[in-house]
Each structure stands twice: as structure tokens, then as C-alpha cells.
């Protein structure tokens, strides 16, 4: 059973907050706490589905490392975000790695438990579909941005995504992003030098402040404007 602090934290997640009471109670009664150390895998690409997760404390890197050791980072998962549900939907092995960036505390709902619940109450598959489509929506937005936007817009959009928890947060409460420039470069598939240059341009405009493995957003409205501005080259 979850404690009151974690229940309050869960309530800040948009998806969980909108679930029917029965589904919320199921999560509260069937979630297990799990702790992970830095660089420890929650799961890896190719693993058999073993349940879904939510981050309570710490950060998780979602991505993939190829046979040559080249890393791709799709997203950084922070409190209070859910992940791991894709394999629940398609019943296929994990499509990517989930690796702890530092010490983490995570909620885990085992596969046997969630599958039994959805078999008994199939109407709740709708809510699992919502969770999955949320990620699909952001994936399409990122794909469109790669094809139509210049790097400053893509950077601003990704920073907004992170602030909003990729749609998981009802409101943007924190203005600091704990992320290295190397990680941002991996996300945006460009060089660290390019990211550094673009961040400094935004810093000169008073939109953000750069620190070691940290970016403080000073003007969220201006960052939003840049992220959603028209690409002049496409006009």
C-alpha cells in the first residue's frame, strides 16, 4: 500500500488523476516499491514484458545502445511519469532500454497482476491506450520538428516537453531541468557544440541560465513562443 506522500505525488500525474477510482485503487494496492542504483537497468531492449512503472524519485534514461556502443536517448523520465506500457499493449519484447541515471525509487505493477486486472475489467484498456497514445503524440511532434524546424526551435520544444513531463504534469511547477548538454545532444541528434551554442544564445536573451548539468528556465513564455514559432525557412 502506498503512503500518503506518494499518493499526493501520484495525484500530480495527469493520467493517474483522471483514472476511475477503481483503477486508482488497483494501482495503490498492487504497486511495489523498487530501488535502483546509478546505471542499473530497469529493463533492456529485448526483455520480456514484466510490468509497468512510475518514477517517484530520481530519473530514468529511455533509449538504446547499438552493438557498436553508440547511444540514442529518446527521453529522460522523471517524477511522476509512467513508462513500460508499450509491451503491455502489443505483447512484444521491450523496444528500448530503461536505465537509472542515479539512485531511483520506482513503483512497479507486475505483469501478471496488470494483465489479470485488464482481463477482468477490459473497459480499462481505454486508459492504457491513453497512456500509450500520449507518448505516440510526442513522438510524432518530435518527428515533425526534425523535418520542419531549425535547431533552436527543436531545442526549445524539447525543453518545454521536459518541463511538462511529456504531458504528464498538470502544471509546470519546476523551472529547472537537470540534464547535461551531452544528453540533450543525444536527444536532438546533433553535436554537443551545437547544443552549447544554442543554449548560450538563449541565455543571452535572458530565457534561461546554464549551469553544470542543469538548465534554469527564466522565461517560460518566451521559450514556448520560440518552440511554436513558424519556421521562416518553410514560409
Amino acid at each position: 500500500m502506498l503512503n500518503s506522500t506518494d499518493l499526493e505525488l501520484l495525484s500530480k500525474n495527469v493520467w493517474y488523476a483522471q483514472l476511475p477510482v477503481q483503477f486508482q485503487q488497483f494501482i495503490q494496492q498492487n504497486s511495489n516499491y523498487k530501488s535502483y542504483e546509478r546505471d542499473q537497468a530497469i529493463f533492456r531492449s529485448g526483455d520480456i514484458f514484466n510490468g509497468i512503472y512510475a518514477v517517484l524519485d530520481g530519473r530514468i534514461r529511455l533509449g538504446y545502445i547499438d552493438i557498436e556502443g553508440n547511444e540514442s536517448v529518446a527521453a529522460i523520465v522523471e517524477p511522476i511519469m509512467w513508462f513500460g506500457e508499450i509491451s503491455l499493449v502489443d505483447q512484444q519484447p521491450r523496444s528500448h532500454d530503461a536505465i537509472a541515471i542515479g539512485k531511483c525509487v520506482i513503483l512497479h505493477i507486475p505483469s501478471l497482476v496488470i494483465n489479470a486486472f485488464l482481463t477482468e475489467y477490459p473497459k480499462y484498456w481505454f486508459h492504457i491506450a491513453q497512456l500509450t497514445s500520449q507518448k505516440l503524440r510526442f513522438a510524432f511532434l518530435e518527428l515533425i520538428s526534425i523535418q520542419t524546424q531549425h535547431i533552436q526551435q527543436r531545442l526549445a520544444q524539447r525543453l518545454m516537453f521536459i518541463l511538462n513531463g511529456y504531458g504528464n504534469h498538470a502544471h509546470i511547477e519546476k523551472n529547472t531541468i537537470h540534464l547535461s548538454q551531452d544528453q540533450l545532444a543525444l536527444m536532438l541528434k546533433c553535436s554537443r557544440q551545437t547544443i552549447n551554442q544554442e543554449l548560450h544564445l538563449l541565455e543571452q536573451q535572458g530565457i534561461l541560465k546554464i549551469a553544470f548539468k542543469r538548465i534554469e528556465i527564466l522565461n517560460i513564455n518566451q521559450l514556448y513562443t520560440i518552440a511554436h514559432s513558424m519556421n521562416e525557412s518553410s514560409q
Side-chain angles (χ1 to χ4, degrees):
M1 196 72 176
L2 304 183
N3 60 47
S4 58
T5 301
D6 292 332
L7 286 175
E8 182 179 356
L9 185 60
L10 270 179
S11 68
K12 295 180 180 180
N13 175 268
V14 173
W15 177 75
Y16 175 87
Q18 295 175 350
L19 290 177
V21 172
Q22 185 180 28
F23 203 161
Q24 289 185 347
Q25 291 176 340
F26 162 78
I27 291 174
Q28 295 169 22
Q29 296 167 4
N30 292 278
S31 295
N32 303 312
Y33 289 102
K34 286 184 173 291
S35 297
Y36 294 86
E37 298 296 323
R38 179 179 178 179
D39 294 329
Q40 187 175 358
I42 292 81
F43 56 77
R44 291 193 179 276
S45 174
D47 285 353
I48 300 300
F49 174 70
N50 65 340
I52 63 175
Y53 300 86
V55 181
L56 294 178
D57 185 51
R59 296 180 297 144
I60 304 296
R61 180 175 69 250
L62 302 183
Y64 184 76
I65 300 178
D66 65 22
I67 58 175
E68 296 180 351
N70 299 313
E71 183 179 19
S72 175
V73 177
I76 303 296
V77 182
E78 299 180 306
I80 173 66
M81 293 172 62
W82 290 86
F83 65 100
E85 80 288 343
I86 294 175
S87 290
L88 171 63
V89 175
D90 64 14
Q91 296 296 299
Q92 297 295 312
R94 300 292 190 184
S95 60
H96 54 273
D97 302 329
I99 310 294
I101 294 177
K103 289 186 176 181
C104 298
V105 177
I106 296 176
L107 285 184
H108 175 227
I109 304 178
S111 54
L112 290 177
V113 177
I114 186 68
N115 278 319
F117 177 74
L118 293 171
T119 297
E120 185 174 0
Y121 303 103
K123 62 183 178 180
Y124 292 135
W125 272 110
F126 168 76
H127 300 285
I128 299 298
Q130 281 186 314
L131 187 60
T132 305
S133 63
Q134 180 187 66
K135 293 183 176 64
L136 182 61
R137 178 180 294 273
F138 280 92
F140 270 116
L141 288 174
E142 179 65 18
L143 179 61
I144 291 170
S145 73
I146 291 173
Q147 297 174 342
T148 64
Q149 296 180 336
H150 54 67
I151 186 61
Q152 187 177 89
Q153 288 176 287
R154 290 178 58 209
L155 173 60
Q157 177 175 276
R158 179 56 70 118
L159 293 176
M160 288 300 304
F161 284 174
I162 295 170
L163 284 173
N164 187 242
Y166 294 90
N168 281 271
H169 301 159
H171 305 285
I172 295 177
E173 298 179 354
K174 298 181 180 180
N175 66 341
T176 301
I177 296 172
H178 296 277
L179 197 67
S180 71
Q181 294 185 27
D182 287 328
Q183 290 169 331
L184 265 177
L186 286 171
M187 287 182 180
L188 296 173
K189 304 302 292 182
C190 62
S191 69
R192 184 189 183 282
Q193 182 181 13
T194 297
I195 290 297
N196 182 265
Q197 291 173 345
E198 293 299 332
L199 286 174
H200 277 289
L201 287 174
L202 293 174
E203 187 174 48
Q204 291 168 11
Q205 298 175 58
I207 296 173
L208 52 79
K209 182 178 180 181
I210 307 169
F212 179 67
K213 291 186 177 182
R214 190 178 72 218
I215 301 169
E216 182 183 359
I217 308 302
L218 304 177
N219 192 329
I220 291 178
N221 290 334
Q222 185 61 25
L223 187 68
Y224 178 91
T225 298
I226 293 173
H228 293 83
S229 62
M230 292 295 292
N231 189 342
E232 293 181 0
S233 64
S234 65
Q235 292 180 356

